[in-house]
């Protein structure tokens, strides 16, 4: 039995609303156990038997049938998430007034996608095989930078499946 985290892309945005209880029920109907939703932004923790081959595709097909629209799914095992946290990708950002985010890709980060930070706006803390770790800095008005200049998703190859999460979500998934 393997523990997984499913990070769903684009749910609870606009008309693509999926209640946590319905999401939990959908995963249970797919035969998963230990299903638990995390926050209200498309994060599902669950246990599954067997190999991961085809798991993402089965989840996406089940969610499409249940909710009537495509829901991209990025999976990580609990071991992968624990290793990610243990690697301390944001060591340089300790003590800064900043928001920490991670872009989770379903496949390796596409070749040639190596974003650089923008001074006084955001930094790329680290790029791993399937993740990009980002630091968005606080502005004097209390908001955070990056929203107006961070447009990496627009520059990714067509069909790239990626979703972004606040680092606190990853920490909660590991806890």
């Amino acid at each position: 039995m393997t523990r997984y985290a499913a990070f769903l892309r684009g749910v609870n945005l606009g008309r693509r609303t999926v209640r946590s209880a319905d999401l939990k029920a959908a995963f249970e109907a797919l035969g998963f156990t230990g299903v638990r939703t995390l926050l209200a932004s498309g994060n599902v923790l669950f246990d599954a038997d067997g190999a991961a081959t085809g798991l993402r595709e089965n989840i996406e097909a089940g969610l499409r049938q249940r909710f009537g629209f495509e829901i991209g799914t990025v999976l990580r095992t609990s071991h992968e998430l624990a290793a990610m946290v243990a690697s301390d990708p944001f060591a340089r950002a300790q003590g800064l007034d900043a928001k920490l985010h991670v872009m989770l890709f379903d496949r390796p980060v596409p070749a040639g996608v190596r974003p650089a930070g923008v001074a006084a706006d955001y930094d790329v803390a680290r790029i791993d095989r399937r993740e990009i770790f980002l630091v968005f800095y606080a502005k004097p008005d209390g908001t955070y930078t990056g929203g107006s200049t961070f447009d990496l998703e627009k520059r990714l190859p067509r069909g790239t499946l990626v979703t972004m999460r606040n680092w606190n979500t990853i920490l909660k998934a590991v806890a």
Side-chain angles (χ1 to χ4, degrees):
M1 188 73 66
T2 303
R3 185 84 172 151
Y4 287 92
F7 300 101
L8 308 181
R9 178 172 168 73
V11 297
N12 297 335
L13 298 173
R15 294 185 183 140
R16 295 172 50 100
T17 302
V18 178
R19 293 178 346 135
S20 292
D22 295 336
L23 196 52
K24 182 178 188 282
F27 272 73
E28 289 172 340
L30 289 167
F32 302 122
T33 58
V35 178
R36 184 172 76 100
T37 59
L38 180 64
L39 307 171
S41 55
N43 309 298
V44 183
L45 306 174
F46 65 97
D47 297 311
D49 284 326
T53 307
L55 185 60
R56 180 179 65 87
E57 292 81 2
N58 290 341
I59 292 169
E60 290 177 345
L63 295 176
R64 181 182 333 103
Q65 182 177 6
R66 175 93 175 213
F67 299 111
F69 53 88
E70 297 291 328
I71 300 176
T73 305
V74 176
L75 295 174
R76 295 293 186 272
T77 67
S78 61
H79 297 294
E80 289 172 321
L81 291 177
M84 185 188 304
V85 169
S87 74
D88 198 10
F90 295 108
R92 297 184 326 200
Q94 297 301 322
L96 297 176
D97 189 3
K99 292 204 180 227
L100 311 176
H101 287 79
V102 58
M103 293 181 76
L104 301 156
F105 290 77
D106 72 323
R107 302 194 192 307
V109 175
V113 174
R114 297 292 179 257
V118 173
D121 196 21
Y122 69 90
D123 277 328
V124 177
R126 192 170 82 200
I127 300 173
D128 284 355
R129 184 173 165 270
R130 294 188 302 156
E131 294 89 24
I132 298 177
F133 300 91
L134 302 161
V135 179
F136 296 97
Y137 297 105
K139 297 190 296 188
D141 67 1
T143 61
Y144 288 83
T145 62
S148 61
T149 59
F150 186 75
D151 66 349
L152 177 61
E153 288 189 45
K154 296 175 187 171
R155 295 182 280 139
L156 293 172
R158 189 164 183 74
T160 301
L161 177 55
V162 62
T163 189
M164 190 168 354
R165 292 297 187 273
N166 184 292
W167 186 242
N168 290 329
T169 300
I170 303 300
L171 296 175
K172 288 177 183 176
V174 170

